[in-house]
Amino acid sequence: MHVALTGATGFLGLRLLRRLLDAHRSVTVLAHAGSGDALHRITRFFEVTGAPEAFIARLPDRLRVVESDLALPRLGLPARTFQELADSLDAIWHSAGSINLEGDLPELRRTNVEGTRRVLELAASGRGSPVVHHVSTAFVAGARRDGVAYEDELDDTGGFENAYERSKYEAELLVHAWSRKHGRPVLVLRPSILVTDLPPHPELPSHPLQVVERILRDARRAAASPAPYSGAPASGDFAGPRPRVRTVGHPHGRLNLLQVEHAAEVMVRLAGLRPSGGVDTYHVVHDRDVPVPVVVALLERLVPIAIDLVAAKPERPSALEALIDFYPGVTAYLAHRRRFDATRVRVRLGPSAVSAPVGLDHLWSGLAPQDRPLPAPPATADPHDRLLTGRPPGRLTS
């Protein structure tokens, strides 16, 4: 099969590329024009992550890099090049996209919606009928914070936590419309929050949770008077006491975090199944959610703040609380108790779809340098909370 992949240099895309190279002799990488040497970045990923030397040496022969622009008609390619590419494909994996939780809707639509439209145009332009594999997100379920989100659901009645979720929802609508128009099968893969225990490295894509860490650190620095204080000492590049932050959340909330390496394996295996002929949607999620207090514990160890989960926004927020609340698409997930149903994946793949546990140690390993040990919990943490995996603080105030 002749397979093309967008987003091959991204956090998930690199893992997908490895799995695709295990299954196919070669892969065409649709790299963003002007973004740099895609082959070099791909090679460095495999070198840093310890891939066999023989595998790395064959990459130039197994990868065809086509510089393209998903924002432009024909991917910004000359007409002849575009047609030759379209005629040659048996499968297209669309993994490129923006996961910017801070982005505005027009910006995210340009990348996530229009980019999807261009990939679908490519799939419809050739002599053959390449199968489209579209990487979406489980969070197209939107702002409904309780209950169960099912794989066949796709509606906006509950609204969305942020523009990112809406843009991915709109991209899925495009996929469904395209499938109906052309009578072609599409595989929609909805991963949850992807994580890794691979330590950070300057030549590797950023861990998705590093975005949250950066937002909290920037807010911590910018807040002139972060009151009230917990009295616990801060650490690292922050002087003075650890500020206490009240944010809306649920002490029994949960988030679905899945190892990116396992997600890529599951996705490629699902792509090998016989399609129904329409849109087949799968939740690529962990079978066990991570308690919100574990996520809180992680954030408190990454950034010197003390987090209190509250039932409603404070009427008189501190400067730091106001800054963090400026990015509601980030902290909103601390109030989630929703579960993602993945029955279809479990039925099709069986026990092999089950993931290894994701705990605080695993999350810390993927976010902190190797020489930075997991610090002790804040001095104000409730000792009873140590009973939970990951020893989270889990405070709830009103």
Side-chain angles (χ1 to χ4, degrees):
M1 291 184 66
H2 187 183
V3 179
L5 170 66
T6 72
T9 58
F11 185 74
L12 170 61
L14 285 162
R15 278 80 177 185
L16 276 176
L17 180 60
R18 177 56 192 265
R19 291 294 175 179
L20 290 172
L21 287 171
D22 288 342
H24 305 288
R25 187 184 64 82
S26 63
V27 175
T28 293
V29 171
L30 299 179
H32 184 64
S35 61
D37 189 343
L39 180 59
H40 173 73
R41 285 183 288 151
I42 290 169
T43 301
R44 284 299 295 149
F45 168 79
F46 289 121
E47 289 173 345
V48 169
T49 55
E53 291 184 8
F55 172 87
I56 295 172
R58 293 186 59 206
L59 285 175
D61 296 326
R62 301 184 66 191
L63 296 179
R64 176 195 178 198
V65 177
V66 177
E67 290 202 352
S68 53
D69 190 335
L70 295 181
L72 298 177
R74 297 197 311 267
L75 306 182
L77 300 172
R80 181 175 178 178
T81 303
F82 177 82
Q83 193 60 52
E84 289 175 349
L85 175 65
D87 289 340
S88 70
L89 295 178
D90 298 303
I92 303 174
W93 284 79
H94 180 39
S95 178
S98 172
I99 59 170
N100 183 10
L101 299 181
E102 308 164 65
D104 59 26
L105 189 55
E107 168 200 344
L108 287 161
R109 277 177 172 154
R110 281 193 296 273
T111 303
N112 295 341
V113 182
E114 295 309 310
T116 299
R117 190 189 308 278
R118 302 306 180 191
V119 169
L120 294 173
E121 289 173 357
L122 174 66
S125 297
R127 290 195 299 263
S129 300
V131 179
V132 176
H133 306 96
H134 175 70
V135 179
S136 183
T137 174
F139 290 87
V140 295
R144 184 182 48 168
R145 298 181 177 182
D146 299 286
V148 180
Y150 293 96
E151 290 161 309
D152 288 331
E153 293 179 328
L154 184 63
D155 65 70
D156 59 354
T157 54
F160 298 95
E161 298 287 12
N162 48 58
Y164 165 71
E165 291 183 353
R166 175 171 286 280
S167 71
K168 297 297 282 186
Y169 161 78
E170 292 179 359
E172 276 202 40
L173 292 181
L174 272 185
V175 166
H176 279 262
W178 183 88
S179 176
R180 289 191 300 269
K181 176 181 178 180
H182 296 277
R184 299 264 297 277
V186 179
L187 180 67
V188 173
L189 301 158
R190 292 178 179 169
S192 56
I193 300 170
L194 298 178
V195 298
T196 184
D197 61 353
L198 189 68
H201 188 282
E203 294 182 87
L204 298 182
S206 297
H207 191 299
L209 291 181
Q210 285 180 306
V211 175
V212 182
E213 177 186 5
R214 177 180 57 77
I215 289 172
L216 294 177
R217 283 187 173 274
D218 289 348
R220 172 74 172 85
R221 290 190 182 95
S225 301
Y229 292 103
S230 69
S235 60
D237 57 344
F238 294 94
R242 179 186 292 266
R244 186 176 297 281
V245 174
R246 298 162 295 176
T247 187
V248 175
H250 200 290
H252 302 300
R254 52 179 179 257
L255 282 175
N256 198 281
L257 307 177
L258 178 66
Q259 299 94 334
V260 64
E261 297 83 4
H262 184 70
E265 176 189 353
V266 168
M267 289 179 181
V268 173
R269 290 182 62 199
L270 289 171
L273 302 176
R274 182 182 295 277
S276 68
V279 177
D280 295 327
T281 304
Y282 293 94
H283 278 156
V284 183
V285 298
H286 206 293
D287 52 295
R288 286 158 289 180
D289 294 325
V290 174
V292 159
V294 173
V295 179
V296 169
L298 175 70
L299 297 177
E300 289 189 331
R301 286 158 175 75
L302 289 169
V303 184
I305 58 176
I307 298 174
D308 285 340
L309 302 178
V310 297
K313 291 183 180 181
E315 292 184 5
R316 301 177 64 182
S318 67
L320 177 56
E321 289 167 344
L323 283 170
I324 291 176
D325 193 51
F326 186 72
Y327 304 103
V330 174
T331 56
Y333 297 115
L334 299 179
H336 278 227
R337 290 186 292 171
R338 177 182 60 201
R339 182 174 66 85
F340 297 109
D341 178 71
T343 301
R344 185 176 295 160
V345 176
R346 312 300 174 214
V347 169
R348 301 300 298 274
L349 299 186
S352 63
V354 175
S355 312
V358 172
L360 185 59
D361 288 345
H362 181 98
L363 295 171
W364 180 260
S365 296
L367 288 164
Q370 287 180 300
D371 59 351
R372 185 181 173 191
L374 180 66
T380 54
D382 186 335
H384 294 291
D385 292 328
R386 294 174 181 270
L387 296 175
L388 280 172
T389 301
R391 308 175 299 281
R395 295 174 293 272
L396 175 69
T397 61
S398 58

